[in-house]
């Protein structure tokens, strides 16, 4: 993938599909870190540790409506039992909870899929008056990437915290499909609750990365996809942040009282209770087509699980939405928000604020669809649990990646993981 233009790829449809067998990788699946590749900084930071922004070219793929219709023809549920890892719910009395005002707008494109969209901000603007600085929004942020030796950031994406010092994003934000190790980013910075267009546009500063994990199959181009690396089984990456932010604090983001994290879920679908397995989801991110990518946006709609996991038909979440380049890597969350004080009735069951996918692609402004690789078991990551030193990090791709960065790479020992 070239670095000097916005990568929007039109996908062609396929006449036939070939199925993968989980048994093919079963012999290596139990080896910690198997199927994942590590990455991290390979170039020095600027002498002052500041760096510069050169343009704002976001990384994301564009998918044709014809291709989406083909994907939707195979609605499915991931093999395995649904589950998730719960994030802590309290951090003491110093944490502030904020929610946005207003109901947003309801809209749709030629796909005729309704969704709601609104900027995550109050009518009165200002750094101290932004809901993004309070939970649950604060666990999301903007991701800057640089692919040159000098510390220059040419691309932006979105990401979210799923550990005290671990974020999850899209693999294509930090590497090119089939590009190998040479395609990995050299510089990465994460800004929780970003509000603006600088490398420190957030109330808690920004964090450099110290390492990453993504699927080896994605990096070497063997991950089942639709032909371009835009729609794949495993367009997912986890990144450990350095334990120091741009404000000089020797902490992971979660050490700040207002900065929480999300949980994450796998094999998640509602096939047993809703038509076609559709699940209400909230996605957050910084798409360049709204507020120039400088303010967090929120989208809510029903998502449909599709795919067989095979080449040309990977596991996906597909939904209505118009999140353009810049939103890639932003979380798709189930049961998003804070729990009210109830005087009657129940909310039902289910994990709250669990990330079950990250934004991967869109169909453009006319159609208004977004898609994501689904967290869960597939041919590349078949295990129902990925365990390291007695800690179960979950099932499928997200479990394997978290096992690798928290266990094999030592993130949990350093305090970056729960």
């Amino acid at each position: 993938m070239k670095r000097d233009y916005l990568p929007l790829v039109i996908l062609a449809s396929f006449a036939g599909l070939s199925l993968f067998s989980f048994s093919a990788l079963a012999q290596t699946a139990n080896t910690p870190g198997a199927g994942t590749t590590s990455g991290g900084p390979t170039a020095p930071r600027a002498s002052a540790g500041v760096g510069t922004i050169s343009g704002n070219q976001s990384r994301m793929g564009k998918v044709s409506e014809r291709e989406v219709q083909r994907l939707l023809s195979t609605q499915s549920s991931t093999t395995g039992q649904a589950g998730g890892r719960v994030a802590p719910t309290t951090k003491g009395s110093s944490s502030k909870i904020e929610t946005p005002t207003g109901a947003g707008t309801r809209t749709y494109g030629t796909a005729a899929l309704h969704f709601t969209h609104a900027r995550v901000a109050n009518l009165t603007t200002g750094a101290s008056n932004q809901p993004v600085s309070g939970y649950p929004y604060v666990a999301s942020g903007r991701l800057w990437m640089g692919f040159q030796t000098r510390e220059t950031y040419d691309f932006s994406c979105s990401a979210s915290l799923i550990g005290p010092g671990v974020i999850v994003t899209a693999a294509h934000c930090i590497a090119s499909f089939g590009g190998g190790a040479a395609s990995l980013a050299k510089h990465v910075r994460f800004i929780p609750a970003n509000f603006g267009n600088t490398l420190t546009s957030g109330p808690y500063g920004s964090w450099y990365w110290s390492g990453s994990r993504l699927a080896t199959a994605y990096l070497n181009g063997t991950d089942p996809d639709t032909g371009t690396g835009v729609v794949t089984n495993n367009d997912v990456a986890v990144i450990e942040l350095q334990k120091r932010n741009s404000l000089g604090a020797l902490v992971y983001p979660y050490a700040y009282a207002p900065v929480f994290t999300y949980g994450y879920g796998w094999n998640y679908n509602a096939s047993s209770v809703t038509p076609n397995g559709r699940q209400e989801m909230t996605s957050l991110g910084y798409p360049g087509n709204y507020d120039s990518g400088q303010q967090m946006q929120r989208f809510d709609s029903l998502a449909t699980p599709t795919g067989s996991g095979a080449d040309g038909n990977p596991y996906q979440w597909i939904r209505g939405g118009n999140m353009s380049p810049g939103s890639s890597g932003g979380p798709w969350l189930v049961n998003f928000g804070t729990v009210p004080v109830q005087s009657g009735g129940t909310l039902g069951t289910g994990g709250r604020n669990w990330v079950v996918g990250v934004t991967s692609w869109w169909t453009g402004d006319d159609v208004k669809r977004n898609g994501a690789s689904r967290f869960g078991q597939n041919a590349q990551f078949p295990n129902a649990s990925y365990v390291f030193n007695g800690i179960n990090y979950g099932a499928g791709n997200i479990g394997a990646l978290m096992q690798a960065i928290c266990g094999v790479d030592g993130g949990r020992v350093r305090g970056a993981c729960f």
Side-chain angles (χ1 to χ4, degrees):
M1 183 182 293
K2 295 182 179 179
R3 309 296 180 199
D4 56 353
Y5 67 97
L6 183 66
L8 297 179
V9 185
I10 304 297
L11 303 183
S13 61
F14 288 77
L17 302 176
S18 60
L19 299 180
F20 278 83
S21 170
F22 282 8
S23 62
L25 294 179
Q27 58 185 349
T28 61
N30 290 316
T31 302
T36 70
T37 297
S38 62
T42 57
R45 285 163 44 186
S47 58
V50 177
T52 59
I53 296 174
S54 177
N56 180 14
Q57 303 177 72
S58 305
R59 292 166 68 89
M60 193 178 194
K62 185 178 180 181
V63 180
S64 69
E65 176 62 8
R66 179 183 177 184
E67 183 65 16
V68 174
Q69 289 299 326
R70 188 186 65 77
L71 290 167
L72 286 169
S73 68
T74 308
Q75 296 180 359
S76 67
S77 61
T78 303
T79 300
Q81 181 67 37
R85 283 184 60 86
V86 179
T89 56
T90 61
K91 285 182 62 181
S93 60
S94 62
S95 296
K96 185 177 182 181
I97 304 297
E98 295 182 0
T99 55
T101 59
T105 58
R106 191 170 181 84
T107 185
Y108 60 93
T110 58
L113 293 175
H114 283 276
F115 59 91
T116 60
H117 161 243
R119 178 201 296 170
V120 180
N122 293 324
L123 293 177
T124 303
T125 61
S128 62
N129 194 34
Q130 295 304 314
V132 292
S133 63
Y135 187 75
Y137 298 102
V138 68
S140 292
R142 196 174 189 184
L143 196 68
W144 285 99
M145 300 82 63
F147 295 84
Q148 305 176 49
T149 300
R150 59 191 174 90
E151 192 183 349
T152 300
Y153 298 87
D154 308 293
F155 297 89
S156 67
C157 274
S158 303
S160 60
L161 283 157
I162 54 174
V166 172
I167 58 174
V168 63
T169 189
H172 76 254
C173 289
I174 63 169
S176 296
F177 181 77
S183 70
L184 282 165
K186 292 180 172 59
H187 303 281
V188 175
R189 289 175 77 165
F190 174 66
I191 310 173
N194 181 89
F195 180 74
N197 197 48
T198 72
L199 293 172
T200 55
S201 297
Y204 314 112
S206 65
W207 273 262
Y208 292 97
W209 70 335
S210 64
S212 67
R213 283 279 178 163
L214 67 164
T216 301
Y218 185 93
L219 203 58
N220 65 24
T222 61
D223 198 30
D225 78 301
T226 56
T228 66
V230 176
V231 185
T232 72
N233 269 351
N234 300 295
D235 185 16
V236 184
V238 291
I239 297 172
E240 182 183 350
L241 305 172
Q242 292 185 16
K243 199 174 183 178
R244 184 185 295 276
N245 72 351
S246 60
L247 303 178
L250 187 62
V251 293
Y252 286 120
Y254 186 75
Y256 277 120
V259 183
F260 281 70
T261 77
Y262 303 130
Y264 60 90
W266 51 83
N267 297 334
Y268 209 97
N269 67 80
S271 59
S272 62
V273 294
T274 63
N276 302 317
R278 292 174 181 169
Q279 168 68 48
E280 177 71 19
M281 289 191 192
T282 297
S283 57
L284 303 173
Y286 292 83
N289 55 341
Y290 298 106
D291 293 318
S292 301
Q294 298 180 27
Q295 295 194 50
M296 188 184 295
Q297 309 294 322
R298 171 178 175 169
F299 285 74
D300 295 87
S301 68
L302 288 171
T304 300
T306 73
S308 65
D311 216 7
N313 199 15
Y315 289 128
Q316 297 286 292
W317 285 112
I318 298 178
R319 54 175 287 186
N322 195 29
M323 301 191 86
S324 73
S327 64
S328 286
W332 289 34
L333 298 128
V334 293
N335 297 326
F336 179 74
T338 55
V339 179
V341 176
Q342 293 177 252
S343 57
T346 63
L347 289 174
T349 60
R352 179 161 294 276
N353 297 318
W354 280 2
V355 184
V356 297
V358 292
T359 302
S360 292
W361 51 267
W362 74 323
T363 51
D365 186 64
D366 292 335
V367 181
K368 293 183 173 61
R369 287 189 203 265
N370 284 121
S373 295
R374 292 164 62 192
F375 289 1
Q377 291 167 262
N378 55 44
Q380 294 70 50
F381 301 103
N383 283 15
S385 63
Y386 285 86
V387 179
F388 190 90
N389 285 347
I391 304 297
N392 181 9
Y393 290 99
N397 48 18
I398 189 63
L401 292 170
M402 288 297 284
Q403 178 208 52
I405 202 161
C406 295
V408 178
D409 297 341
R412 189 169 188 272
V413 174
R414 290 184 288 272
C417 308
F418 292 116

